[in-house]
Amino acid sequence: MSQLRLETIIMPAADLGDENPLPPIQGGGDLHAIAATSAIPDEMVQNMALGHLPNVMPYTMQDGYTRHRQDREFKTAVLENDILKATFLLELGGRLWSLLHKPSGRELLAKNNVFQPANLGLRNAWFSGGVEWNIGTIGHSPFTCAPLFAAKVEADDGTPILRMYEYERFRGTPFQIDAYLPADSPVLFVRVSIHNSTAKELPIYWWSNIAVPETAQTRVIVPTDKAFRFGYKGSGLMRIDTPSYEAQDYTYSVNIDHSADYFFDIPQGQRPYIAAFDKTGSGLVQTSTARLQGRKLFLWGKGAGGGQWQKFLSPSGCNYIEIQAGLARTQMEHLPMPAFETWSWLEAYGLVAAPATAVHGEDWSAAQTAVQHSLDTLVPEETLQAEYERSSAFAQKEPTEIWQQGSGWGALEQQRRQYSGEPSLAPAGLIFGDASLTAVQKPWLSLLQSGIFPPMPPTQAPLGYMVQAEWRDLLETAVSQPESNHWFSWYHLGIMRHYAGEQQLACAAWEQAVQATPTAWSFRVMAITAQANEQYEDAAALMAQAVQLVPDLLPLLIEYGRILIQANHADSWLAHLATLPDDLKNAGRIRLLEAQAALQLGDFARVAQFFQDEIVVPDIREGEVTLSDLWFAYHLQRIATTENCSVTPSLKNRIRREFPLPLSMDFRMTRDNECSP
């Protein structure tokens, strides 16, 4: 018998905090940026040129979390039959948090029993464990730490289906995840559909990221003998043999010292799958219909930095690797999706077992053959394809119940399309109802219905940004009317223009906003633009005006500190710190900026205090080496000053020997980073 029900779980959790009201108009560095090489096929090179975004607008950042955790209740949906029990975190991107194989009592996923966000996601906050559904663009999903719409659907034979869906605003595409577990099925089925309901081709991205436990004997098996390796060094992709590279068998993750991605190049026509086996020759397998062609292994590596990241993400202990499945061969690619088209595929997750002697033998081909046989026994390819065809029948069925609302942006876009006579946003099975609309969409709803963009109090932190061209056209028209000619309209219009690459027009709009009503929000975007143009003095002056108007907003203070240090005004930053209340002054990122400013001024005692206090920076970014750079730069400058000597390679080598980086501060992901200073 198959069941679907709502439950709750309780686990230690950090508070996600409020969303950052400051629009992230600045571009972020991409850890996965690469240069094309002769080893990369032309089609991949073309796909890598698609879909690049200037920033994560229109989404806002989720960076208000801390490292303080207390028990919290989470809403879950549970699918269960006699063989498997699947638990989904509805408020956190619909993540498949647990997949329990009931006959053996074995948890097939790396289940993180702590919710601890860290800065690895598109919107900053991200957490490890389970299966994450990634859509939009490189860098996880904008919904990683946000609720999806959740509903119950029933197949014609009565099988219950968990439907999770949302409207993805980077591309303007609705997507849906239909998860179900037929009676007696040894695998969980997950049908994913992405709908392009626009009249233009869109760059589309999808990866299902599956965390599995990492042990000394864990081995990943895939049906290929080639892969593209990415080593987080900025050197691009390298096509290598599988399973070994440089005399190391990387299908055993513990053989690799530092973080790396291995994108497996599965031959066309080969059944796609990826599986992670323990020492007994059993473990989780993921397979799919042909559209989901990519497979990848991500590992943190056995270096100190990788170990620290694992502890940072899972303080209760959850060493893991990720086996992943995507639309393209690598995560550097977007695929062109034609207008008015739907892409869908079916994934299957379950426990697979093969002879351990084959799985862990030296003959890679024999290991693949054994796994292929076991997979074909578990869920034959014909069965999977037939199930995909069967699931098409309920993919557009309307829900019988809606259990959770997502964001109101889909409902707003649905209304805009109705007003403009455009095709419907989504099929009938995806309900973007007015019940999902909130105060965040209210100004835009007014603009649509009346042509008036209502004002907002200048002290109120704005949320709900738009960069979509159709909404910009409406706002460009509205600002010519007296009712909409105010700071709030010009502020939003400037953001839209900036996103479109029209920087001068953006600045002109923000100047209009300031003339109407000086606000911290307008001064801040002007400051960030000046900073991007390396006009640090102007940026510092503008940001000072912003902070004067809103003195207690932590994200604004952090930006102010960075700009002052860039402008070589470290003394001004330290002077401003003295005016702050203790809760702001002692925030981890503020303390780090204090130490950086102190080092710029040669105040070694103040820098040393930062290290002695063992300050934790909750939002240290994946790939960020600020802490290690500060440590080595502090000792390098201190010794050079004390001994009145020049900074030489010899001195740098001495610093590395005499002052090894404390493990608690080591977030380095590559060998290059470990060669600092």
Side-chain angles (χ1 to χ4, degrees), residues 524-606:
R524 180 261 172 184
V525 287
M526 294 168 74
I528 294 298
T529 302
Q531 180 189 31
N533 293 330
E534 299 183 356
Q535 299 166 344
Y536 299 125
E537 291 292 339
D538 291 344
L542 288 163
M543 194 63 83
Q545 294 180 81
V547 169
Q548 186 176 8
L549 290 169
V550 180
D552 57 354
L553 183 63
L554 180 59
L556 189 64
L557 289 169
I558 290 170
E559 292 182 346
Y560 185 36
R562 287 171 174 160
I563 286 175
L564 285 177
I565 292 171
Q566 281 182 318
N568 292 314
H569 293 318
D571 53 344
S572 298
W573 173 239
L574 295 181
H576 187 76
L577 286 181
T579 69
L580 296 180
D582 287 346
D583 61 329
L584 293 174
K585 190 184 302 183
N586 293 323
R589 184 64 70 170
I590 295 292
R591 286 295 307 271
L592 175 57
L593 288 166
E594 176 188 5
Q596 290 173 310
L599 185 63
Q600 192 177 93
L601 296 172
D603 186 345
F604 299 128
R606 198 163 184 171

Side-chain angles (χ1 to χ4, degrees), residues 471-484:
W471 288 99
R472 176 182 168 181
D473 291 342
L474 291 173
L475 191 54
E476 291 275 10
T477 300
V479 292
S480 63
Q481 305 300 317
E483 299 90 342
S484 301

Side-chain angles (χ1 to χ4, degrees), residues 88 91 211 410 587 625 677:
F88 298 81
E91 299 152 302
V625 290

Side-chain angles (χ1 to χ4, degrees), residues 467-530:
V467 294
Q468 192 176 330
E470 293 87 349
W471 288 99
R472 176 182 168 181
D473 291 342
L474 291 173
L475 191 54
E476 291 275 10
T477 300
V479 292
S480 63
Q481 305 300 317
E483 299 90 342
S484 301
N485 186 10
H486 48 71
W487 79 269
F488 194 51
S489 294
W490 287 108
Y491 169 71
H492 274 281
L493 190 54
I495 290 168
M496 290 169 153
R497 291 172 175 179
H498 187 278
Y499 186 85
E502 301 167 4
Q503 192 175 109
Q504 288 186 336
L505 288 176
C507 290
W510 293 328
E511 288 169 3
Q512 286 275 89
V514 168
Q515 288 176 16
T517 305
T519 69
W521 324 114
S522 297
F523 284 129
R524 180 261 172 184
V525 287
M526 294 168 74
I528 294 298
T529 302

Side-chain angles (χ1 to χ4, degrees), residues 223-484:
T224 184
D225 58 4
K226 296 291 181 182
F228 294 95
R229 181 183 184 274
F230 180 81
Y232 294 85
K233 296 182 180 180
S235 57
L237 288 177
M238 178 181 298
R239 197 163 193 263
I240 62 173
D241 291 332
T242 301
S244 295
Y245 170 66
E246 293 184 342
Q248 292 180 316
D249 186 339
Y250 56 85
T251 62
Y252 291 95
S253 58
V254 294
N255 288 342
I256 308 304
D257 290 337
H258 295 84
S259 304
D261 295 332
Y262 297 92
F263 298 100
F264 298 106
D265 192 7
I266 297 176
Q268 190 171 7
Q270 171 67 51
R271 184 181 188 184
Y273 71 82
I274 188 166
F277 292 90
D278 64 12
K279 63 181 179 180
T280 70
S282 64
L284 177 77
V285 65
Q286 187 274 359
T287 188
S288 69
T289 49
R291 185 176 290 279
L292 205 65
Q293 63 175 327
R295 294 299 187 275
K296 171 192 163 183
L297 164 64
F298 166 77
L299 53 90
W300 283 109
K302 306 317 292 181
Q308 175 61 12
W309 267 116
Q310 300 249 34
K311 294 175 184 175
F312 203 66
L313 288 163
S314 181
S316 65
C318 180
N319 281 5
Y320 72 97
I321 56 175
E322 285 190 0
I323 54 176
Q324 305 180 8
L327 282 174
R329 278 181 283 186
T330 74
Q331 285 174 337
M332 293 76 172
E333 300 170 75
H334 298 81
L335 297 186
M337 184 178 186
F340 301 118
E341 190 162 310
T342 290
W343 284 354
S344 60
W345 62 90
L346 187 66
E347 303 182 39
Y349 296 79
L351 177 67
V352 67
T357 52
V359 167
H360 294 289
E362 295 184 3
D363 188 334
W364 176 243
S365 178
Q368 293 173 310
T369 300
V371 173
Q372 182 81 52
H373 176 74
S374 297
L375 174 60
D376 290 342
T377 301
L378 178 72
V379 54
E381 190 168 13
E382 305 78 38
T383 300
L384 188 66
Q385 187 61 39
E387 191 63 43
Y388 171 68
E389 299 299 334
R390 187 178 83 89
S391 67
S392 300
F394 60 70
Q396 296 192 39
K397 287 190 71 172
E398 292 193 21
T400 58
E401 297 178 70
I402 295 181
W403 286 341
Q404 177 174 276
Q405 298 289 339
S407 74
W409 297 111
L412 183 65
E413 176 63 8
Q414 184 78 289
Q415 291 204 27
R416 187 200 66 77
R417 292 192 179 199
Q418 290 172 355
Y419 269 75
S420 63
E422 296 177 32
S424 178
L425 174 65
L430 305 188
I431 309 298
F432 293 104
D434 290 351
S436 63
L437 292 167
T438 68
V440 176
Q441 288 85 38
K442 187 176 180 180
W444 302 101
L445 195 60
S446 172
L447 176 64
L448 179 67
Q449 295 175 343
S450 68
I452 296 172
F453 198 65
M456 176 179 283
T459 55
Q460 183 174 331
L463 282 173
Y465 295 99
M466 279 285 190
V467 294
Q468 192 176 330
E470 293 87 349
W471 288 99
R472 176 182 168 181
D473 291 342
L474 291 173
L475 191 54
E476 291 275 10
T477 300
V479 292
S480 63
Q481 305 300 317
E483 299 90 342
S484 301

